[in-house]
Amino acid sequence: MPAIEQLGAATRTSSLWSPDKVTVIFVLGGPGAGKGTQCAKLVTDYGFKHLSAGDLLREEQDRPGSEFGEMIKEYIREGTIVPMEVTIQLLENAMKAAMDKENKTMFLIDGFPRKLDQAHAFERSVVPSKFTLFFDCPEDVMQERLLERGKTSGRADDNVESIKKRFKTFVETSMPVVDEFESQDKVVKVMATRSPDEVYEDTKKGLKERGIEPITLKFVKTNA
Ligand code: ADP
Ligand code: C5P
Ligand code: MG
């Protein structure tokens, strides 16, 4: 089945799901801030479904027969933002699959929305977010992390030239999204410069303040 059958998601005039039933936390931060690293930790402790918009785009890019493959490749290499219709449809499809197959209702949407139009369209036509987890990190730290990641990631954009373009896009296009959510008191900001475990401690604190707690596993003693 193609990943994108029709690009209808972004044009719907009412939301597909209610925020009472489906919880979406957007995860934002510059390239290399540690979004994916922190999301992996949150999945283990909170049972979220983690969906990275970048991963979904790379998957679609590599899907044989995709009519969007070449376009996505170009955008990723240039560090610019793929038109929202494609990304929103990929996210909606992945959310539906996780609901149907894994009974998931709590989502970390990582690396999205990276542009104001994406934020507005997703909240209008898919589901309004609960809040945004924002990892704040200076560019020199992010650059060092990305170059280190680039030694093994195989990514076409973990190189100095693409990184520069991605930083520019982040400042000019993606930060306005964070600023808008901030003005609605919908941002949990975490400093992302310390070690992954230290950043995670602050992340957990931030989620707790918004009423999100880890899953507590209950062990029932048996006589066996
Ligand atoms: P993002 O998803 O925001 O682009 P990643 O989670 O992929 O970032 O992290 C980028 C790189 O930096 C990875 O190689 C990761 O292992 C490393 N990294 C992530 N968080 C930290 C941290 N707090 N300190 C040092 N390195 C980190
Ligand atoms: O989040 P990640 O670093 O994996 O994203 C890689 C690239 O994918 C971005 O630089 C951008 O070109 C593209 N992307 C996008 N729209 C998103 C997320 C990622 O165009 N919402
Ligand atoms: Mg990532």
Side-chain angles (χ1 to χ4, degrees):
M1 191 178 62
I4 303 178
E5 287 165 277
Q6 51 184 32
L7 300 178
T11 56
R12 210 178 292 115
T13 51
S14 60
S15 72
L16 189 57
W17 296 300
S18 155
D20 299 333
K21 301 240 162 65
V22 175
T23 300
V24 162
I25 298 174
F26 291 141
V27 182
L28 292 177
K35 300 181 293 296
T37 303
Q38 294 302 317
C39 284
K41 292 177 182 292
L42 290 167
V43 162
T44 310
D45 291 341
Y46 294 74
F48 286 111
K49 179 69 183 179
H50 170 216
L51 295 175
S52 153
D55 287 349
L56 290 172
L57 287 167
R58 281 183 287 273
E59 233 173 76
E60 178 65 19
Q61 174 197 291
D62 296 338
R63 187 174 63 82
S66 169
E67 61 181 295
F68 304 107
E70 276 309 308
M71 175 193 72
I72 293 171
K73 199 179 206 164
E74 186 69 23
Y75 277 91
I76 289 183
R77 196 179 49 236
E78 290 303 312
T80 47
I81 307 301
V82 173
M84 65 165 181
E85 290 78 7
V86 173
T87 315
I88 292 179
Q89 193 68 55
L90 289 170
L91 283 168
E92 183 184 310
N93 292 355
M95 289 174 75
K96 268 193 190 134
M99 286 180 202
D100 293 347
K101 293 182 193 146
E102 304 171 59
N103 277 321
K104 294 287 185 184
T105 56
M106 306 255 296
F107 294 90
L108 293 172
I109 308 278
D110 161 5
F112 179 95
R114 267 188 162 95
K115 197 171 174 180
L116 276 170
D117 67 345
Q118 301 190 336
H120 298 154
F122 184 95
E123 295 211 305
R124 184 188 65 243
S125 65
V126 183
V127 62
S129 65
K130 195 169 175 69
F131 58 86
T132 292
L133 189 52
F134 172 57
F135 292 105
D136 197 8
C137 198
E139 283 188 5
D140 56 340
V141 176
M142 295 195 287
Q143 166 140 335
E144 199 179 309
R145 288 179 186 173
L146 290 172
L147 291 176
E148 187 60 33
R149 186 176 74 182
K151 290 177 186 168
T152 53
S153 68
R155 282 179 53 156
D157 58 353
D158 281 346
N159 56 75
V160 176
E161 207 184 318
S162 290
I163 290 169
K164 255 194 214 135
K165 294 176 181 169
R166 292 158 73 195
F167 285 167
K168 186 171 184 306
T169 301
F170 175 66
V171 171
E172 291 176 359
T173 310
S174 306
M175 269 316 285
V177 176
V178 179
D179 294 341
E180 182 170 291
F181 285 137
E182 182 98 65
S183 76
Q184 301 166 357
D185 191 26
K186 282 176 69 173
V187 175
V188 170
K189 185 166 147 178
V190 175
M191 270 312 295
T193 38
R194 297 194 293 162
S195 72
D197 284 346
E198 287 170 315
V199 175
Y200 187 52
E201 284 311 308
D202 290 343
T203 301
K204 285 197 284 190
K205 276 184 211 151
L207 291 195
K208 195 178 164 71
E209 280 164 19
R210 296 279 168 156
I212 307 273
E213 300 276 358
I215 300 169
T216 46
L217 292 175
K218 290 196 185 100
F219 292 100
V220 181
K221 206 176 167 197
T222 66
N223 292 324

